[in-house]
Amino acid sequence: MKFLANLLAVPLLLLPAQAQVFTFTHDEMLKYTSHNPFGRFEDGRPKVPDAILAKVKGLSAEEVWAVLPGGGFHNQYEGNFRILHPNRKLVGRAVTAQFMPARPDVADIMEADAKGKGLRDNGNQRVLDLLKPGDVLVVDLFGKIEEGTIVGDNLAAYIYAVTGTGLVVDGAIRDLEGIQPLDMSVYFRGAHPTPIRNVMLTGINVPIRIGGATVMPGDVVFGDSEGVYFIPPQMVKQVVDKADETHIHDEWTQAKIKTGKYKSTDIYPSPRDPALKKEYEEYKKAKLAQQ
Amino acid sequence: MKFLANLLAVPLLLLPAQAQVFTFTHDEMLKYTSHNPFGRFEDGRPKVPDAILAKVKGLSAEEVWAVLPGGGFHNQYEGNFRILHPNRKLVGRAVTAQFMPARPDVADIMEADAKGKGLRDNGNQRVLDLLKPGDVLVVDLFGKIEEGTIVGDNLAAYIYAVTGTGLVVDGAIRDLEGIQPLDMSVYFRGAHPTPIRNVMLTGINVPIRIGGATVMPGDVVFGDSEGVYFIPPQMVKQVVDKADETHIHDEWTQAKIKTGKYKSTDIYPSPRDPALKKEYEEYKKAKLAQQ
Amino acid sequence: MKFLANLLAVPLLLLPAQAQVFTFTHDEMLKYTSHNPFGRFEDGRPKVPDAILAKVKGLSAEEVWAVLPGGGFHNQYEGNFRILHPNRKLVGRAVTAQFMPARPDVADIMEADAKGKGLRDNGNQRVLDLLKPGDVLVVDLFGKIEEGTIVGDNLAAYIYAVTGTGLVVDGAIRDLEGIQPLDMSVYFRGAHPTPIRNVMLTGINVPIRIGGATVMPGDVVFGDSEGVYFIPPQMVKQVVDKADETHIHDEWTQAKIKTGKYKSTDIYPSPRDPALKKEYEEYKKAKLAQQ
Amino acid sequence: MKFLANLLAVPLLLLPAQAQVFTFTHDEMLKYTSHNPFGRFEDGRPKVPDAILAKVKGLSAEEVWAVLPGGGFHNQYEGNFRILHPNRKLVGRAVTAQFMPARPDVADIMEADAKGKGLRDNGNQRVLDLLKPGDVLVVDLFGKIEEGTIVGDNLAAYIYAVTGTGLVVDGAIRDLEGIQPLDMSVYFRGAHPTPIRNVMLTGINVPIRIGGATVMPGDVVFGDSEGVYFIPPQMVKQVVDKADETHIHDEWTQAKIKTGKYKSTDIYPSPRDPALKKEYEEYKKAKLAQQ
Amino acid sequence: MKFLANLLAVPLLLLPAQAQVFTFTHDEMLKYTSHNPFGRFEDGRPKVPDAILAKVKGLSAEEVWAVLPGGGFHNQYEGNFRILHPNRKLVGRAVTAQFMPARPDVADIMEADAKGKGLRDNGNQRVLDLLKPGDVLVVDLFGKIEEGTIVGDNLAAYIYAVTGTGLVVDGAIRDLEGIQPLDMSVYFRGAHPTPIRNVMLTGINVPIRIGGATVMPGDVVFGDSEGVYFIPPQMVKQVVDKADETHIHDEWTQAKIKTGKYKSTDIYPSPRDPALKKEYEEYKKAKLAQQ
Amino acid sequence: MKFLANLLAVPLLLLPAQAQVFTFTHDEMLKYTSHNPFGRFEDGRPKVPDAILAKVKGLSAEEVWAVLPGGGFHNQYEGNFRILHPNRKLVGRAVTAQFMPARPDVADIMEADAKGKGLRDNGNQRVLDLLKPGDVLVVDLFGKIEEGTIVGDNLAAYIYAVTGTGLVVDGAIRDLEGIQPLDMSVYFRGAHPTPIRNVMLTGINVPIRIGGATVMPGDVVFGDSEGVYFIPPQMVKQVVDKADETHIHDEWTQAKIKTGKYKSTDIYPSPRDPALKKEYEEYKKAKLAQQ
């Protein structure tokens, strides 16, 4: 009965989004993420496979950044976060949400829409209801701290229970102490005791801006102790492949450094002496062959 | 041949918008501005009449703010601008534009769209082509200064020639010296010699955020030496009406102050003494009757 | 001989305060803290009992904030601190101190006063001499970092030895490395090697401002990994009582979340389905009965 | 009937202050301003004579600063203001007011006090009622902009009508456009349309902090296009006297500069060549003799 | 006796510089400014001719920036200044000075050097003694405001008397009111009453950093109401030549805009229609021929 | 063959420096560090002996700062760093490097120089080639974060392998995650994925500015969890000697504090009671005798 299931699934998935100002039709989602080489969710959002996400988890930031600018992607990184567990990597597929300062005229229309669809009136939770395993919620709250708290400890626990990943918010969280014990990764601008207020949820799964980065639904989110990277699906394979080579290069370079026999410019960024250069090329070839 | 002209006009007007990620269909524009009590442009954007705009020009910020919060509109003001001519008021109908940090995957799709419609590839100018007399361009450039310059002196002159009003940009302008002699009102965050770069125009005539304010297409923009107010069309009449009363109150209060006979708390915010109170009520009644 | 002891105790306690510009007479202290339902110290400062402080130690920030705004207390929290041991809670009774930029004319008068009372000329230590077990010193040093260091490691050790709690300073500390090994909680804006200079101690145990919060002597200080809360004595009982309920709510909600059977809006902030609602109400009743 | 007038005047003057947490008794005012060499107001506030204020009006900032640090007064200047009319000097006697974030427990007690004395419930106006010709209101609003607006155009007009001077506020003003036409001097941190809210008036005519400066009631306020200086009464005469000498020095130095015959180090800060030195000393002696 | 004069002039000119840590020998000055196509001062500093400076005075910032990035010069602009007379252009040849936080060990050695050469001990004035007509003093005071005041009104008057131009300082000035009446251009970060202190003059006429720009001695300084541009001598001619073309383009474009017949993208940045394009090219050719 | 080795060593050491704008000749290095009481490296840089560095490692910041201001050194501390391992001390001899925003005219001359000397074209690595055991690289990158990354994990590993110490940079690092596992101490302003770009290396082993501190080559770098101190070689012995006394004072004071028998002003900063004072003096004498 997969056919019927799909029929039912689609409205359920799309309803909440349709109660927002900004959302994509299925066609628009396909159009704006048309470079995605992988499968998709029912709403069209790119679904980078779990196997690839697992590989991304093993990458370093250097390996991610080694590829993105070359592909013309200069605006896929944002730092300046407070990070709940800096030593835990955050990897998953972006679900995006955009908030704006509340206006009753616009908010009322959206709430009427939502009510018509049987949705409760908690704007910030509607997007939570959409989350799936492997998703990472990425929220534009325009840097609001006071009354800009996307979740407290209960809803943070919900996010972690459903996704197994974490949260990126250009805004705040509540109940830091209650969230700390959770194993989840959270990137946030600040913590404040006030509940979220005076904002409205204007977009779900549309392009959003997080600081200097533009995030698309379905991007692979990669967070480390430095900040967060948003990798377009079509770049992920290249990132993973190139990483092997970078890894070999670093291994060889650091081994040479440890000998104490070389000046920095002798071996980095590439060996200077022809003999060393050859040695490195052979090492790389051999290593790549083993992969 | 007005009929044919209209037929032609509509596509011309809407095409540029359709080359952006975020735009409203005619229906959406009507839905999200459904409280608008006035007429509309062909694309559905509210068109507060010129006669009312003329009245707004005579208002003070105090008179604007006296009404908005009472209607639940707390997020319709933004300050912290540099202001080209602080003593010139800026009044007009908002045309909104939203930029985001560039991503080649999304930008390419929008450019292909635009090319298909015979548009030139100058993203920031597409929205300029839409401007009409009485419009005020309001641009979200997320506070970008370097390479965040929406116009230089040539395009500023274009905006002023077409609209007769001015510009609000959460970003920068170029060629400040060339813009200065123009009589137009410009609210901007900074000036920089670099041309705009590394951004993409993602929305036209959709809700945008300017600092702490949410701006809708068709809002009445009111700029003074303090900052900019965005008045929803449905609030404009109330603002104008209430202003008369505020004006009478201030006139009476300041006249009393000038007598030097009263302590501040005797007369402000309202007269304390029953006799004075009565005097004021009668003065107000008489004055309102004259209007 | 308790009568005589009190006679002696009062001057000893009040002398240092009397050498400051701002201090409360015994009557003023009673007047401005007249809502305090608990006992008081000799100088009139509210003394929330140790047993209640022990309960406060078990609270979460959420439980504190669940009550304060409802009582009209919106300005009892301050974040943006550097925190010495973020995982240690800070709980105690506020002793407040206010500093201002030094003026020799005012400072000389205060010092003459102090000398006349046999006090040493170390302004910042006078308030330290007042500390008692369970007190938390809260200091307004107007955000001064360089030459705004309230204590170094020796005096920090003194504070901890006497109070067993910690310190909140809108200013700096010295000798961070020497303070780190102490188990005490310290909330500070920065660390600097310079000693405190060019300031004068203007108030002891009077209302002070710490960022956006107003602190009264005798407030219960509650510091966690997010920031510091200042709970008026008259609110403490309500906070503690309400916390039990919040605790039960969170326990039930998180248990439901872990089942993985509910959308976020199904159960939070309250269960949506009537059956679930009833289940929760019964759970709560049973749990409260056990307390 | 001057005796009776005084009897009546005192309570009228002191009542409002007594409704605040911080105020001085008549004795405390005398004690903390005991260096004042001039007369006093009924409440004890130093009253630097009008004739001296007139001389201060002719000074430059350099002439003010030439004396204060030498007297140990390093914290009597604050910049970083927006200035309404930078080319108008502000000179007058400080009336100080201190606000803090509101707490209902403290605010209620003060309001009850005030009501008991027949005062209206507009905290920020109580201090306005105290103003006299030649006073300058100096307000600590802890840098609050939104809802930190001490006056709008009506009350600004009141201040100017009563004092003939202006206003210094570490906070905001409302209705900038309505205030601009007034000839008064206003030093403020920002302008905002919101009325003042969520604060309480805690002190009148007590020491307050404005940025890095400590201000006492009765200080001579001196504002120019750079910022504001707070001159203790006991320093005013010395400032005025020294200014004559500085003026002669600058006149002579600038005349020499205009000859184009000297290197900078030849004549500044003092002439280097013995003959020039002598010439200058004789010039100064002659000029001082003329005064 | 010009030969002898030169012999004497050289030591006089170079002595002050030699008392600093950083200075160029004559050879180094030639080496690091070897692209300079114009004459030089005795110390080797490039001397862009007065006739060219006069042309630069007629340029707009747009015309300057139209050329520099194309030559690889991306770091020749700095904004974020307070500007004394925004409507006066500043044009001249850079004399650079670098200050650093004082260290007695280094400062003593420089002072001993200076004393040995008969120089006075006013570090900041030594560089003033070097100034010549048409020079612009450019000072790196690392953004210091308090005690970072390069000149007050006397020395500002000196600079203006000698150079006829102005001053750029990444630091502060004193006596703003005394400087205001001077016709000179001053770009500064802030104004403060304190004299310069706790710094040492470490370099004269060496490369310095002003915010994001690197300035070389002999660069043409161009200041307008936006900020300051530092044009390398070898780029000046190209800037001036290209400006004519830009000027013609803007003239033509703005004339077209004024007709009200074109959309922005029809004519800017270049005419779109082949006929218009041709018209423009012919206009440009004719105009250039007239020059 | 030490003679020949030296002959070879000198050019090797000095070459890289000579490719920079700012460098010292051997004579200049001696002149500007003439107070150095210890030996020197071949290029004249002071070489504080390893044995003394070992003692410095045992110091506290308080002990360092107890001496420097007394010697007139007020600008030898900088905070506001992110610190890789706050609990690891950083101690070593400063090797300084200064970067400025790139200018092709200056950069090309330096690169031509370098190429002529057989150096590779990686500006930032040239200074790395100079490092020796016990050195600490101190880099002025003027606070640049994006494209201001002095090293990534490979070169960080190189620095640690060669020096065994760490790095101070007024700029950024790359690959924070790859650097974290290294035991080295790193003080930095931020982390960013972009490689270093648009800057040029202008000085090696010359005075540089790190925030508010002036650093000389050969200074002893002392970093703790608060920030970094730069101790001139001639002050090191005094610092180490005085530390013993400070240590004894703290030991005694803290022992007294633990007794709980004293008020803070009784024993700090020095004992008040004559008997206690005597006890302390005897304790100190005995302890110093043991050293």
Side-chain angles (χ1 to χ4, degrees), chain E residues 56-71:
Chain E
V56 170
K57 217 155 190 168
L59 300 182
S60 72
E62 188 181 17
E63 290 158 356
V64 169
W65 206 250
V67 167
L68 291 187

Side-chain angles (χ1 to χ4, degrees), chain C residues 2 5 10 35 41 60 72 85 91 134 149-150 169 207-209 228 274:
Chain C
K2 192 163 174 287
V10 173
H35 298 97
F41 288 96
S60 72
H85 299 302
V91 170
T149 49
I150 184 67
V169 57
I208 63 169
R209 184 175 62 79
V228 186

Side-chain angles (χ1 to χ4, degrees), chain B residues 82 118-120 122 125-126 128-129 131 153-155 157-158 161 174-177 180 191-195, chain E residues 61-62 65 77 86-87 89 224-226 229 249-250 253-254 257 262-272:
Chain B
R82 285 178 60 186
L119 296 171
R120 287 185 87 171
N122 302 77
Q125 284 184 249
R126 270 177 219 148
L128 266 63
D129 283 359
L131 295 172
D153 56 359
N154 285 316
L155 293 183
Y158 176 83
R174 262 189 318 129
D175 312 325
L176 187 52
E177 295 250 312
Q180 202 110 35
H192 209 269
T194 47
Chain E
E62 188 181 17
W65 206 250
Y77 169 76
N87 296 327
K89 283 237 180 70
D224 70 356
S225 63
E226 224 173 87
Y229 300 76
H249 173 261
D250 286 4
T253 304
Q254 300 222 9
I257 284 170
Y262 304 96
K263 290 277 163 207
S264 137
T265 52
D266 291 340
I267 43 172
Y268 189 85
S270 59
R272 197 182 190 187

Side-chain angles (χ1 to χ4, degrees), chain C residues 22 32 207, chain D residues 16-24 95-100 106 110 123-124 126-127 130 137-140 200-208 217:
Chain C
F22 300 124
Y32 287 111
Chain D
Q18 288 170 349
Q20 266 53 58
V21 179
F22 300 124
T23 185
F24 278 161
V95 165
T96 66
Q98 186 206 51
F99 287 83
M100 292 179 75
V106 177
M110 295 191 296
N124 61 320
R126 270 176 220 151
V127 66
L130 292 177
L137 181 59
V138 185
V139 183
D140 170 11
M200 55 187 183
L201 176 60
T202 47
I204 290 185
N205 276 333
V206 286
I208 62 170

Side-chain angles (χ1 to χ4, degrees), chain A residues 220-258:
Chain A
V220 174
V221 179
F222 174 87
D224 70 356
S225 63
E226 223 173 88
V228 186
Y229 301 76
F230 304 98
I231 314 172
Q234 66 271 30
M235 299 301 290
V236 176
K237 179 118 205 322
Q238 195 180 335
V239 166
V240 168
D241 290 350
K242 179 71 195 283
D244 290 337
E245 205 171 312
T246 304
H247 193 75
I248 293 164
H249 172 262
D250 287 4
E251 216 174 48
W252 185 86
T253 305
Q254 300 223 9
K256 289 295 162 192
I257 284 171
K258 277 185 197 135

